[in-house]
Amino acid sequence: MTRLELLRQFERRFREAGFPSQEARWLLAHALGLEDADLLRGLYKAVPKGIAEQMEGWLMQRRQGYPLQLILGYSLFYVPGLKEDDGGYLRLEVRPGVLIPRPETEGLVALALGLLSAERSFTGRLLDVGTGSGAIALALKRRFPKAEVWATEIDPVAVALARENARRAGLEVQVLLAPFTAHLKALDLIVSNPPYLPESYRQEAPPELSYENPQALYSGPEGLDMPRELLSHAWRALKPGGALALELAESNVHTLAEEAQRAGWEAVQVHRDLAGRPRYLTARKAHA
């Protein structure tokens, strides 16, 4: 059987199972140890023994909700404002137990970068709280190479992974095993994709979330236990006029926005994601 014949077979089966057919292409390239372009250049080559069985096993895993990124071992994360040939994508290693970066968080980074309105030569101080794989912090550093970028995380496994992703990307980010803002001061920007799902959501969550670390997903009855505490930490860590950008849930983003306004934050705004759902909160610390 040729690569093309096997690919067409599994593209059809992935579609029938409700997944994009391109997943079959990515997984076949992964099984063969090839980049996507190399696979397409050699579609008429014979498939080695065992590859079809491997693809069969992966399709079964996907049907059970196992994340595609964990099979591939990596996730691509877009850096807003950069072209692909200018480092516009980060290839991040992922592993079980550490939150997989998602496209919605790319939208958060785009909003955060807009809050700075800065050139690539920007030299400010930026912090990613709860960095996970390091996606947000590394995207900020890729966009602003001269900025001082920090990341905090309370999970040692995630800290090790974020540091490894920084090393692989050749980006200097200080990843700290610490909660919230790690007592940093005079920051220009804090960005965070904190745990924000209500505990009750566990009952209706899609199967793939069962493979994620619940500590990175759920945050009390309203999903706001950690984000609420982060507001006060962020206020102390930001310089006057400094900005905060959070990813939250449609069910609680407006609640936290109202609380931020009552706490004295300025320019509090709720922003929608590409699907039109309220998802992001931005605010500024009042000037002295």
Side-chain angles (χ1 to χ4, degrees):
M1 183 181 294
T2 67
R3 294 176 184 175
L4 180 60
E5 290 169 331
L6 186 64
L7 179 59
R8 283 177 172 169
Q9 176 189 140
F10 275 95
E11 282 180 335
R12 173 182 55 79
R13 295 183 61 192
F14 269 72
R15 283 195 302 270
E16 291 172 350
F19 303 110
S21 60
Q22 62 188 11
E23 286 197 13
R25 191 179 79 237
W26 293 334
L27 288 170
L28 180 57
H30 180 58
L32 295 169
L34 299 173
E35 294 296 327
D36 196 51
D38 294 326
L39 169 68
L40 297 177
R41 279 194 291 265
L43 284 175
Y44 293 98
K45 293 184 178 181
V47 177
K49 184 178 179 181
I51 296 296
E53 290 77 9
Q54 193 168 23
M55 292 287 291
E56 189 74 47
W58 285 338
L59 176 56
M60 184 179 299
Q61 283 186 298
R62 291 295 289 128
R63 283 175 170 155
Q64 295 168 348
Y66 196 73
L68 171 69
Q69 295 92 333
L70 291 183
I71 299 175
L72 295 173
Y74 70 88
S75 179
L76 294 179
F77 192 82
Y78 173 60
V79 182
L82 295 182
K83 297 179 180 178
E84 185 173 354
D85 57 2
D86 193 26
Y89 281 93
L90 291 164
R91 180 166 173 150
L92 303 172
E93 181 183 338
V94 295
R95 63 184 59 155
V98 180
L99 189 68
I100 297 168
R102 287 172 168 78
E104 292 83 0
T105 304
E106 297 172 353
L108 174 67
V109 173
L111 271 174
L113 295 174
L115 292 172
L116 290 173
S117 300
E119 301 297 325
R120 290 203 72 188
S121 57
F122 177 70
T123 58
R125 289 163 54 83
L126 316 177
L127 171 64
D128 169 19
V129 175
T131 195
S133 65
I136 293 174
L138 296 176
L140 293 173
K141 185 65 176 180
R142 177 66 60 81
R143 185 66 179 81
F144 298 121
K146 295 183 179 180
E148 184 179 321
V149 180
W150 300 79
T152 60
E153 174 59 61
I154 60 172
D155 179 7
V157 175
V159 168
L161 179 60
R163 288 173 176 169
E164 177 62 19
N165 278 328
R167 186 193 66 78
R168 288 174 180 270
L171 296 170
E172 187 178 345
V173 171
Q174 300 299 317
V175 183
L176 306 177
L177 179 61
F180 296 106
T181 58
H183 304 294
L184 294 169
K185 300 292 183 183
L187 298 171
D188 294 276
L189 173 70
I190 295 174
V191 189
S192 182
N193 175 21
Y196 59 70
L197 294 176
E199 287 290 340
S200 60
Y201 188 70
R202 291 178 189 254
Q203 309 306 317
E204 57 184 280
E208 69 177 42
L209 286 191
S210 66
Y211 296 97
E212 299 275 22
N213 182 353
Q215 187 179 40
L217 297 174
Y218 301 100
S219 189
E222 296 174 274
L224 288 176
D225 285 6
M226 190 277 193
R228 278 190 176 115
E229 195 168 352
L230 177 56
L231 274 184
S232 60
H233 284 271
W235 185 274
R236 293 192 292 271
L238 287 167
K239 64 172 60 172
L244 173 68
L246 303 177
E247 180 176 338
L248 297 165
E250 182 177 359
S251 63
N252 56 32
V253 63
H254 288 288
T255 299
L256 196 66
E258 292 171 4
E259 294 177 10
Q261 286 180 317
R262 290 197 297 269
W265 290 85
E266 297 181 345
V268 178
Q269 288 184 277
V270 171
H271 308 263
R272 296 179 180 271
D273 62 18
L274 291 177
R277 295 168 296 199
R279 180 175 292 274
Y280 312 111
L281 168 64
T282 60
R284 287 193 182 277
K285 179 178 177 179
H287 287 83

